[in-house]
Amino acid sequence: MKPALIVHGGAWDIPDEAVGACTSGCRRALDAGWSILSRGGSALDAVEAAIVVLEDEPVFDAGFGSHLNLDGRVECDAIVMNGGTLRSGAAAALQRIRNPIRLARTVLERCPHSMLVGEGAERFAKESGIALCDPADLVSDAEREAWQLCSQDKHAAAHHRGHEQGTVGAISIDSRGQLFAATSTGGTCCKLPGRVGDSPLIGCGCYADSAAGGVSCTGYGEAIMKIVMAKTAVDFLRAVPAPQHDCPVPEKPSRVSIRLVAGSASEDAEGLPCGENFHAMMAAREAVHLLAHRTHATGGLILLDREGNPGFAFNTPRMAYAYVAPDGSFVTSV
Ligand code: ASP
């Protein structure tokens, strides 16, 4: 099986001044994952390595530099899912874990449960050999300033101008055909302490089934949960016919109520995807369309179908993402 990898750094109104950092962060994440896959390594190692890069980069809302909650603390959530076994490992409301994806993986591999939260999750991390950090080590200067402005005034996107951030995610298939998907986030700015969004919830922020594909979502968590977006997108992958190779012109989706942006390496004259990733792109679009239509919220997702074809869609002004094209070249976009 040909390995495949796609990553994202969130779907938001990414300002021009943050585009460079988002692009280079996604590219470095792709590099980290691809160097594992191209040496015959596992998809699990690849998604973990890619997400660690994104968590360590403060331009993204995961790990160091995440948005702060109402108390001024970083509180992170993460999940990783095995498409072969349908088993997932997740951890949420973490305040002392530098790389939440490492703990999610440890839950997947060593815990009898699928999800741990808060103090119990951190105790499990310590017992498993994952070092706990000082909560203050996860707070960036930019986020502290934005949080102070939000607390003095009210929470406003304008206070984050220049460093709006997004949740991160990765999906990979390795040469043995193993499929893993992962998502990591600091959640939303000024959230109530203890709030958990879609990201670490199986089927909402992440899903993987080797029989169909894997998905990682980003956007307004309370809305994404309503339509169980990651599982819904995987089910769209399941439902669509086999990939077309001759640039068909399907009926244009007619129910798109707000601007839906999705691009692919090849599009036909109508702006619809065509080529090998046609049905991956259509499944991604349909899921984001459903989010817009049924919840009027914004967000986006990336996916790989079971053959490794990439798909992505978002109804925000921008989404940061990168994937390895079939010819081995890196495609990065914001
Ligand atoms: N979905 C995340 C959450 O609601 C936020 C994001 O994707 O940026 O926690």
Side-chain angles (χ1 to χ4, degrees):
M1 175 104 197
K2 208 168 158 193
L5 179 64
I6 185 167
V7 303
H8 75 81
W12 293 105
D13 186 3
I14 301 168
D16 290 344
E17 56 269 34
V19 167
C22 288
T23 308
S24 82
C26 284
R27 204 191 152 85
R28 282 186 290 109
L30 207 63
D31 250 331
W34 195 244
S35 69
I36 291 168
L37 291 169
S38 53
R39 291 196 312 262
S42 79
L44 177 57
D45 287 343
V47 293
E48 182 187 22
I51 295 235
V52 164
V53 169
L54 298 165
E55 286 176 340
D56 288 345
E57 167 54 68
V59 79
F60 302 116
D61 178 28
F64 171 67
S66 289
H67 289 315
L68 304 187
N69 69 12
L70 210 55
D71 289 346
R73 285 176 163 236
V74 164
E75 214 168 52
C76 290
D77 312 324
I79 180 170
V80 60
M81 181 163 181
N82 181 341
T85 62
L86 300 182
R87 178 153 164 68
S88 58
L94 308 170
Q95 296 195 355
R96 296 189 294 161
I97 305 289
R98 186 165 277 279
N99 290 111
I101 194 65
R102 291 206 200 282
L103 178 53
R105 178 179 181 162
T106 308
V107 172
L108 174 75
E109 293 181 322
R110 296 199 227 158
C111 181
H113 310 302
S114 293
M115 185 182 214
L116 296 176
V117 304
E119 212 188 305
E122 291 176 354
R123 193 190 313 162
F124 176 78
K126 205 169 158 200
E127 286 164 7
S128 306
I130 295 177
L132 301 186
C133 66
D134 185 328
D137 292 348
L138 300 177
V139 179
S140 67
D141 291 344
E143 274 310 302
R144 187 180 296 108
E145 277 163 33
W147 175 81
Q148 274 159 355
L149 289 171
C150 291
S151 334
Q152 284 156 15
D153 177 11
K154 65 174 174 42
H155 169 63
H159 298 327
H160 295 266
R161 195 83 198 141
H163 58 99
E164 282 91 343
Q165 297 141 303
T167 292
V168 305
I171 305 145
S172 175
I173 299 180
D174 61 30
S175 54
R176 284 178 289 161
Q178 301 183 106
L179 167 70
F180 282 85
T183 304
S184 180
T185 189
T188 48
C189 180
C190 298
K191 64 187 180 183
L192 290 177
R195 177 264 188 190
V196 175
D198 63 299
S199 304
L201 303 184
I202 184 170
C204 295
C206 180
Y207 198 74
D209 180 348
S210 296
V215 175
S216 172
C217 301
T218 171
Y220 185 56
E222 281 71 11
I224 290 172
M225 285 187 256
K226 288 180 182 171
I227 64 154
V228 196
M229 188 154 87
K231 173 69 160 54
T232 298
V234 166
D235 288 340
F236 287 152
L237 282 173
R238 230 185 283 281
V240 292
Q244 310 287 307
H245 296 281
D246 53 353
C247 285
V249 181
E251 227 180 84
K252 206 165 184 152
S254 56
R255 304 183 309 275
V256 178
S257 54
I258 55 179
R259 194 163 76 103
L260 185 57
V261 184
S264 67
S266 48
E267 287 189 338
D268 66 13
E270 306 264 300
L272 287 163
C274 61
E276 303 222 327
N277 67 341
F278 165 76
H279 87 281
M281 291 300 289
M282 291 307 284
R285 287 184 183 201
E286 272 303 301
V288 174
H289 165 75
L290 189 68
L291 179 75
H293 182 67
R294 289 294 289 119
T295 75
H296 308 290
T298 56
L301 62 83
I302 55 167
L303 59 80
L304 288 181
D305 71 15
R306 67 191 167 138
E307 314 288 345
N309 295 305
F312 49 87
F314 48 101
N315 63 358
T316 48
R318 280 173 164 156
M319 181 169 80
Y321 60 93
Y323 60 92
V324 182
D327 65 359
S329 61
F330 284 12
V331 179
T332 312
S333 185
V334 174

